[in-house]
Amino acid sequence: MKKDDIIELKIEDLSSEGLGVGHSGGIAFFVKDTVIGDTVEARVMKMKKTYGYARAMRILEPSPDRIVPPCPVARQCGGCQIQAMSYSAQLHFKQNKVCSNLERIGGFTNLPMEPVIGMDTPFRYRNKAQFPVGRARDGKIVAGFYAGRTHSIIACRDCLLGAEVNEKILQTVLNHMEKYRIEPYDEATGKGLIRHIMTRVGFATGQIMVCIVINGKKLPAHEQLVRALVELPGMTSITLNINREKTNVIMGRKQVLLWGQEYIEDTIGDVRFRISPLSFYQVNPRQTEKLYGKALEYAGLTGEETVWDLYCGIGTISLFLARKAKRVCGVEIVPEAIRDARQNARLNGIDNAEFFVGKAEEVLPEKYQKENISADVIVVDPPRKGCEQSVLETMIRMAPKRIVYVSCDSATLARDLKYLCANGYELKRVCPVDMFGNSVHVETVVGLQRKDT
């Protein structure tokens, strides 16, 4: 098998990046823009020792789960890897993905698996969007999203995953740039002013935030832009974010308020949150309520427990837990997030939640060794890489009755669960939750119980 060979493939699975997987001559090939069940004619693009990459040239037989993507740029854009797959098939794939990783990596059998919790509709669910700004080949200023694995902007003013108001916001900002001849940022040269347009919408409150990321200190004619933006119903916060570094990091550290207030508010369930431009906040609040509800259910709180919430962010899970627990302690490495968590606790009149700044892998072991802290329940919601080994080891030594693990990567989840279940815990409940429709990502909530309880 060599480059440019034409092969026929039956797509049997999807990779973690959303590439179709088929086999030819005993070799696995990864093929973009295919759906499980497709039979395709493909051209070999790259060969490795044990696998290869191919490009779909023709769909010989479409999968019964293949649909026409509603978004006209779904194929070019890197955001929706599986929009060509029916939503019921997406949920089936995500359920199987979690099961497969827990069985293959974790070594689990007879999984206590609950059905994946899907969305009412897998569109218009994102409350936050970040649009890079640049120039198209014809010289026009465009905003949209990066094509997969590139920094080439695919022009898209109305992403179907985001709020409808985003299109009007982008149109207003781009018109302002054209009128006042404001240059978009050029990554190659480091010149130009406007880098990104970030929007946030409070789905429950209707409040809107616009944050313009600039490669400079000020925005020309910003008063005129503000006047145009505040015409949009719900506009609450308009800020500049200063990022003059030559970096792929979107947001800088300095904020300048142009109009309104520096934050918006939103609610998940009956808990209210204050969200600033740099705050971490779940992008799908409707599904987040279901996710946290499941985590709270698995925690089994009676009102007498001390709970430690590791990787707590702005306290979203912590404040849900605090309403049912005696005491909650949250740990998060980002100082601004802890500041927001404390503010959110005050906003909701919650006085039994305490928050600590630092790495979970440092704070928890240190407090256990020096202060002999204890926990009845530990909740962890780590980044994609999973929990650090020192966190897992300290959790085992603290021996809480229950552990609730919220994961955005079922592969690292399986690895960590294998360790916890080899050291005194039993896997009691597992539930995937679809937070990111039309992508391959899936959240999972797991309930563990100490075997000697």
Side-chain angles (χ1 to χ4, degrees):
M1 205 77 68
K2 62 185 184 300
K3 188 176 184 295
D4 290 330
D5 280 354
I6 303 297
I7 56 177
E8 184 175 312
L9 296 170
K10 176 76 172 183
I11 304 301
E12 304 156 349
D13 200 359
L14 293 178
S15 73
S16 60
E17 295 178 325
L19 302 177
V21 182
H23 291 80
S24 179
I27 297 173
F29 284 91
F30 297 92
V31 191
K32 186 177 179 293
D33 302 318
T34 55
V35 170
I36 295 172
D38 281 343
T39 300
V40 301
E41 182 181 84
R43 183 187 298 276
V44 176
M45 304 304 295
K46 185 186 294 185
M47 287 298 304
K48 300 289 186 178
K49 286 185 178 179
T50 58
Y51 64 93
Y53 291 92
R55 175 180 295 165
M57 306 302 291
R58 196 158 55 103
I59 296 176
L60 302 175
E61 185 178 341
S63 166
D65 296 316
R66 174 174 280 279
I67 62 171
V68 177
C71 176
V73 295
R75 185 166 182 173
Q76 303 99 299
C77 175
C80 290
Q81 304 96 348
I82 54 174
Q83 200 181 110
M85 182 186 289
S86 71
Y87 189 55
S88 60
Q90 290 183 32
L91 294 180
H92 182 70
F93 161 72
K94 293 181 182 189
Q95 179 106 9
N96 286 347
K97 176 181 177 180
V98 174
C99 285
S100 174
N101 281 331
L102 292 182
E103 291 170 350
R104 182 173 51 85
I105 300 170
F108 295 99
T109 57
N110 300 317
L111 288 168
M113 199 80 177
E114 299 174 18
V116 59
I117 299 176
M119 304 181 200
D120 295 331
T121 174
F123 295 98
R124 301 296 185 193
Y125 63 81
R126 291 187 62 95
N127 59 12
K128 177 184 177 183
Q130 296 177 136
F131 300 92
V133 183
R135 283 197 182 275
R137 291 180 179 177
D138 62 4
K140 289 185 178 179
I141 298 175
V142 295
F145 298 101
Y146 293 128
R149 295 179 173 272
T150 77
H151 270 220
S152 298
I153 298 174
I154 302 299
C156 179
R157 296 185 184 182
D158 184 26
C159 172
L160 298 184
L161 302 191
E164 291 181 85
V165 73
N166 287 338
E167 184 176 15
K168 294 179 180 178
I169 292 170
L170 291 180
Q171 184 65 58
T172 301
V173 177
L174 297 188
N175 286 348
H176 184 81
M177 292 177 68
E178 294 281 8
K179 181 176 181 179
Y180 293 96
R181 299 182 180 180
I182 300 170
E183 282 296 311
Y185 181 71
D186 185 321
E187 287 187 333
T189 64
K191 296 180 180 179
L193 185 64
I194 295 187
R195 302 173 70 129
H196 280 78
I197 302 165
M198 188 270 279
T199 68
R200 280 186 136 143
V201 178
F203 281 8
T205 62
Q207 296 181 5
I208 299 171
M209 170 187 290
V210 175
C211 179
I212 302 171
V213 184
I214 62 171
N215 177 42
K217 295 181 179 179
K218 60 183 181 179
L219 179 66
H222 71 265
E223 299 93 344
Q224 287 82 352
L225 177 60
V226 165
R227 278 201 293 269
L229 287 173
V230 298
E231 292 295 318
L232 298 176
M235 189 60 63
T236 304
S237 173
I238 303 174
T239 61
L240 295 180
N241 176 272
I242 311 300
N243 183 359
R244 305 186 73 179
E245 303 294 323
K246 199 165 185 179
T247 173
N248 289 336
V249 176
I250 294 175
M251 304 290 282
R253 306 305 304 173
K254 184 178 179 182
Q255 293 290 133
V256 177
L257 180 65
L258 295 183
W259 180 87
Q261 56 197 35
E262 294 180 340
Y263 60 87
I264 62 171
E265 292 185 349
D266 198 19
T267 62
I268 299 176
D270 59 355
V271 181
R272 196 170 186 90
F273 295 96
R274 183 170 290 185
I275 310 151
S276 61
L278 296 176
S279 293
F280 171 79
Y281 184 68
Q282 292 282 4
V283 299
N284 187 340
R286 297 186 181 109
Q287 286 298 98
T288 297
E289 185 174 356
K290 299 175 186 177
L291 179 78
Y292 290 175
K294 188 60 68 173
L296 192 59
E297 181 184 330
Y298 287 6
L301 302 178
T302 65
E304 298 300 320
E305 294 85 2
T306 295
V307 182
W308 277 79
D309 177 17
L310 309 181
Y311 315 95
C312 70
I314 64 170
T316 44
I317 295 182
S318 300
L319 301 185
F320 270 72
L321 297 166
R323 297 198 163 197
K324 300 288 184 179
K326 181 178 180 181
R327 179 174 180 244
V328 174
C329 299
V331 180
E332 170 59 50
I333 189 174
V334 181
E336 293 85 358
I338 289 296
R339 183 192 63 208
D340 288 343
R342 290 167 178 159
Q343 174 62 42
N344 287 326
R346 289 191 292 270
L347 187 65
N348 289 277
I350 293 173
D351 58 9
N352 62 332
E354 188 175 4
F355 297 96
F356 302 93
V357 177
K359 296 180 180 179
E361 61 267 28
E362 295 175 357
V363 172
L364 193 69
E366 181 180 351
K367 287 196 168 289
Y368 177 71
Q369 292 164 11
K370 293 183 178 180
E371 301 176 25
N372 196 31
I373 61 169
S374 63
D376 301 294
V377 177
I378 292 179
V379 176
V380 293
D381 185 3
R384 195 164 295 279
K385 67 178 182 177
C387 292
E388 296 288 344
Q389 185 65 23
S390 60
V391 171
L392 296 173
E393 291 170 355
T394 305
M395 287 164 62
I396 294 298
R397 288 197 292 270
M398 290 175 69
K401 295 175 184 176
R402 289 176 296 283
I403 296 172
V404 179
Y405 196 131
V406 180
S407 170
C408 60
D409 188 304
S410 56
T412 55
L413 168 68
R415 178 202 66 200
D416 291 351
L417 293 181
K418 184 176 183 178
Y419 178 84
L420 292 170
C421 289
N423 288 276
Y425 283 86
E426 183 180 2
L427 188 62
K428 300 297 287 186
R429 299 178 71 178
V430 181
C431 184
V433 181
D434 185 25
M435 299 279 287
F436 311 105
N438 295 300
S439 82
V440 292
H441 304 298
V442 59
E443 296 274 329
T444 310
V445 189
V446 172
L448 298 162
Q449 185 168 312
R450 208 172 68 223
K451 290 177 182 176
D452 60 3
T453 57

